[in-house]
Amino acid sequence: MNASADGLSIGILSKQTGCNIETIRFYEKAGLLPTPARSPAGYRRYVSTHLRRLTFIRRARALGFSIEEVRTLLKLADERKRPCAEVRVVAGVHLKDVQAKIADLRAMKRVLRETVAKCASGRSPDCPLIESLSRESPGKLST
């Protein structure tokens, strides 16, 4: 773990997890990461539980879970006697959100592909993309 007997510095924790130092401090302030002990000189000293928890948070965030969803997952992880079904519910809701985003991205891809095709030569004085963006209502994708 590359830690001294009194734990890891925030810089080492950052390097080992790939998490920015300011993000680590944010997770502490948000209550996702427990406040670490301090060295006699006042420096934060992280232990293996911080490393595991921060790794969990980073992986969950990389999968697109919101801060509140991560908070819920951490609470469920901390209370191991609770049924796994509760985690499944959180993940299921998140999966539906991801599927909706994928559908939205596919629609955006279709519209952009069609609009780019209209600009095939790029020589027209009127730009179809600019025109399309100017006349469409927010949230509605069409060409």
Side-chain angles (χ1 to χ4, degrees), residues 115 118-119 124-137 142-143:
T115 305
K118 289 179 184 178
C119 296
S124 173
D126 296 320
C127 177
L129 180 58
I130 298 296
E131 292 303 316
S132 177
L133 292 173
S134 298
R135 73 173 179 267
E136 298 298 327
S137 62
S142 66
T143 57

Coordinates of all heavy atoms in Angstrom, one line a residue, residues 115 118-119 124-137 142-143:
T115 N -28.2 16.0 -40.7 CA -27.9 17.4 -40.9 C -26.5 17.6 -41.6 O -26.4 18.4 -42.5 CB -27.9 18.2 -39.5 OG1 -29.1 18.0 -38.9 CG2 -27.6 19.7 -39.7
K118 N -26.8 16.9 -45.2 CA -27.4 18.1 -45.9 C -26.3 19.1 -46.3 O -26.4 19.9 -47.2 CB -28.5 18.7 -45.1 CG -29.8 17.9 -45.0 CD -30.8 18.7 -44.2 CE -32.0 17.8 -44.0 NZ -33.0 18.5 -43.1
C119 N -25.2 19.1 -45.5 CA -24.1 20.0 -45.7 C -23.0 19.4 -46.5 O -21.8 19.8 -46.5 CB -23.5 20.4 -44.4 SG -24.6 21.3 -43.3
S124 N -23.0 25.7 -49.8 CA -24.3 26.4 -49.8 C -24.2 27.7 -48.9 O -23.6 27.6 -47.8 CB -25.4 25.5 -49.2 OG -26.6 26.2 -49.0
P125 N -24.8 28.8 -49.3 CA -24.7 30.0 -48.4 C -25.5 29.8 -47.2 O -25.2 30.5 -46.1 CB -25.3 31.1 -49.3 CG -26.1 30.4 -50.3 CD -25.5 29.0 -50.5
D126 N -26.5 29.0 -47.2 CA -27.3 28.7 -46.0 C -26.8 27.4 -45.4 O -26.7 26.4 -46.0 CB -28.8 28.6 -46.4 CG -29.4 29.8 -46.9 OD1 -29.0 30.9 -46.4 OD2 -30.2 29.7 -47.9
C127 N -26.5 27.5 -44.1 CA -26.0 26.3 -43.4 C -27.2 25.5 -42.8 O -27.9 26.0 -41.9 CB -25.0 26.7 -42.3 SG -24.4 25.3 -41.4
P128 N -27.4 24.3 -43.2 CA -28.6 23.5 -42.7 C -28.5 23.3 -41.2 O -29.5 23.3 -40.5 CB -28.5 22.2 -43.4 CG -27.7 22.5 -44.7 CD -26.8 23.6 -44.3
L129 N -27.2 23.1 -40.6 CA -27.1 22.9 -39.2 C -27.5 24.2 -38.4 O -28.3 24.1 -37.5 CB -25.7 22.5 -38.9 CG -25.4 22.3 -37.4 CD1 -26.3 21.2 -36.8 CD2 -23.9 22.0 -37.1
I130 N -27.0 25.3 -38.9 CA -27.4 26.6 -38.2 C -28.9 26.8 -38.3 O -29.6 27.1 -37.3 CB -26.6 27.8 -38.8 CG1 -25.1 27.6 -38.6 CG2 -27.1 29.1 -38.2 CD1 -24.6 27.6 -37.2
E131 N -29.5 26.5 -39.5 CA -30.9 26.7 -39.7 C -31.7 25.7 -38.8 O -32.7 26.1 -38.1 CB -31.3 26.5 -41.1 CG -30.8 27.5 -42.1 CD -31.2 28.9 -41.7 OE1 -32.4 29.1 -41.3 OE2 -30.4 29.9 -41.7
S132 N -31.2 24.5 -38.7 CA -31.9 23.5 -37.9 C -31.9 23.9 -36.4 O -32.9 23.8 -35.7 CB -31.2 22.1 -38.1 OG -31.8 21.2 -37.2
L133 N -30.7 24.3 -35.9 CA -30.6 24.7 -34.5 C -31.4 26.0 -34.2 O -31.9 26.1 -33.1 CB -29.1 24.9 -34.2 CG -28.2 23.7 -34.2 CD1 -26.8 24.1 -34.0 CD2 -28.7 22.7 -33.1
S134 N -31.5 26.8 -35.2 CA -32.3 28.1 -35.0 C -33.8 27.9 -34.9 O -34.4 28.6 -34.2 CB -32.0 29.1 -36.1 OG -30.6 29.4 -36.2
R135 N -34.3 26.9 -35.6 CA -35.8 26.7 -35.6 C -36.3 25.7 -34.7 O -37.5 25.6 -34.4 CB -36.2 26.5 -37.0 CG -35.9 25.1 -37.6 CD -36.6 24.9 -38.9 NE -36.2 23.6 -39.4 CZ -35.2 23.3 -40.2 NH1 -34.4 24.2 -40.6 NH2 -35.0 22.0 -40.5
E136 N -35.5 24.8 -34.2 CA -36.0 23.7 -33.3 C -36.2 24.2 -31.9 O -35.5 25.0 -31.4 CB -34.9 22.6 -33.3 CG -34.7 21.9 -34.6 CD -35.9 21.3 -35.3 OE1 -36.7 20.8 -34.5 OE2 -36.0 21.4 -36.5
S137 N -37.3 23.6 -31.3 CA -37.6 23.9 -30.0 C -36.7 23.1 -29.1 O -36.3 22.0 -29.4 CB -39.0 23.7 -29.6 OG -39.3 22.3 -29.8
S142 N -35.3 16.9 -34.5 CA -35.8 16.5 -35.8 C -35.0 17.3 -36.8 O -34.3 18.3 -36.5 CB -37.3 16.7 -35.9 OG -37.5 18.1 -35.8
T143 N -35.1 16.8 -38.1 CA -34.5 17.5 -39.2 C -35.6 18.0 -40.2 O -36.7 17.5 -40.2 CB -33.4 16.7 -39.9 OG1 -34.0 15.5 -40.3 CG2 -32.3 16.4 -39.0

